């Protein structure tokens, strides 16, 4: 079986225009797991939403209920919590097993959550925190349930957010990133570093091996890719 390599790729654009995403993903028709940014919907990819973002909206609604108070937001959080409980039990399962369990268990919970949202939406002020959470669910539900149809998809895109976090935290300290060239350079460096991490490599050792290998034979890089390299 050919394993799909773990790749973390950063790319720089100087705006959030939809054309940046559309051009970058031109021709791609596979799954794309993302947050609710509308530009992704303009691509040819099959969009999978992020349940963590939906849950966060209901957490905000629960906070607005007041400390130690139980309210409507708890219903949604309880159901979403059950979905995450199922995912935790599937951690070591293969793709087919994940799909099967999701169809048998997760789908019924999401159906219950859908009915609850439909029943409560007209009774909830749209500008309240609970109203905002419900609106988010209604707008994103068709994306949030995509993970049910393929065991390769995660329930959320937290994996991508974890990969980008070091970049977000560090960029304020990078004087060379105040130009487009600096931003592109840092994007390339972080692509290498985070891909090495995603493939279980020690970054320092990997970079040293790459620099040594490139110095000896700059024309040969295939064996230095993170999913091919063998560190002694």
């Amino acid at each position: 079986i050919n394993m799909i390599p773990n790749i973390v790729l950063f790319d720089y654009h100087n705006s959030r225009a939809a054309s940046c995403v559309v051009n970058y993903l031109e021709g791609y028709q596979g799954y794309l797991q993302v947050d609710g940014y509308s530009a992704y919907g303009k691509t040819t990819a099959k969009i999978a939403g992020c349940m963590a973002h939906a849950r966060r909206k209901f957490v905000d609604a629960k906070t607005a209920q007041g400390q130690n108070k139980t309210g409507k937001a708890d219903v949604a959080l309880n159901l979403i919590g059950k979905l995450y409980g199922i995912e935790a039990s599937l951690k070591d399962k293969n793709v087919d097993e994940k799909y099967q369990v999701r169809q048998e268990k997760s789908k019924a919970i999401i159906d219950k959550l859908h009915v609850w949202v439909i029943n409560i939406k007209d009774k909830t002020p749209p500008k309240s925190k609970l109203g905002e959470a419900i609106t988010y669910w209604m707008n994103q539900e068709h994306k949030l349930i995509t993970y049910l149809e393929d065991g390769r998809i995660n329930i959320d895109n937290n994996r991508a957010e974890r990969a980008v976090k070091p970049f977000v935290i560090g960029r304020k300290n990078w004087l060379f990133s105040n130009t487009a060239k600096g931003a592109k350079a840092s994007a390339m460096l972080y692509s290498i570093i985070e891909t090495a991490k995603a493939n279980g490599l020690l970054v320092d050792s990997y970079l040293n091996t790459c620099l040594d290998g490139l110095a000896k034979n700059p024309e040969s890089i295939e064996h230095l890719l993170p999913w091919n390299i063998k560190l002694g």
Side-chain angles (χ1 to χ4, degrees), residues 7-165:
I7 301 174
V8 180
L9 184 63
F10 291 83
D11 191 51
Y12 169 76
H13 293 275
N14 63 358
S15 79
R16 281 175 54 84
S19 59
C20 298
V21 175
V22 173
N23 293 338
Y24 187 69
L25 295 172
E26 183 180 3
Y28 177 69
Q29 296 182 332
Y31 289 109
L32 180 67
Q33 187 152 34
V34 292
D35 58 24
Y37 179 42
S38 60
Y40 295 122
K42 299 181 184 297
T43 70
T44 55
K46 171 69 173 177
I47 305 298
C50 175
M51 192 68 70
H53 279 77
R55 180 173 59 181
R56 202 170 300 150
K57 297 289 185 181
F58 285 109
V59 168
D60 290 343
K62 178 175 174 60
T63 301
Q65 290 171 179
Q67 191 174 10
N68 300 323
K69 289 185 179 180
T70 300
K72 295 174 181 177
D74 292 276
V75 176
L77 289 173
N78 180 262
L79 292 172
I80 293 174
K82 290 181 179 179
L83 293 174
Y84 272 91
I86 293 171
E87 292 305 302
S89 72
L90 297 176
K91 183 178 179 181
D92 298 319
K93 303 296 183 182
N94 63 39
V95 169
D96 292 334
E97 289 172 323
K98 288 181 180 181
Y99 170 80
Q100 192 63 39
V101 172
R102 287 170 177 174
Q103 291 300 308
E104 294 173 356
K105 298 181 179 180
S106 302
K107 187 176 183 303
I109 296 172
I110 285 181
D111 289 344
K112 187 174 182 179
L113 183 52
H114 171 80
V115 171
W116 177 80
V117 168
I118 294 298
N119 289 336
I120 200 176
K121 68 181 182 69
D122 291 335
K123 307 170 188 175
T124 306
K127 293 187 178 180
S128 66
K129 288 298 182 181
L130 181 59
E132 291 176 1
I134 289 172
T135 298
Y136 184 89
W137 180 272
M138 293 290 293
N139 290 340
Q140 299 292 321
E141 184 178 16
H142 64 290
K143 304 172 188 175
L144 294 171
I145 64 175
T146 300
Y147 85 103
L148 297 178
E149 66 185 55
D150 195 311
R152 296 172 299 174
I153 308 173
N154 294 323
I155 191 172
D156 56 40
N157 71 338
N158 282 352
R159 186 180 180 189
E161 295 206 355
R162 285 193 298 270
V164 79
K165 189 174 181 179

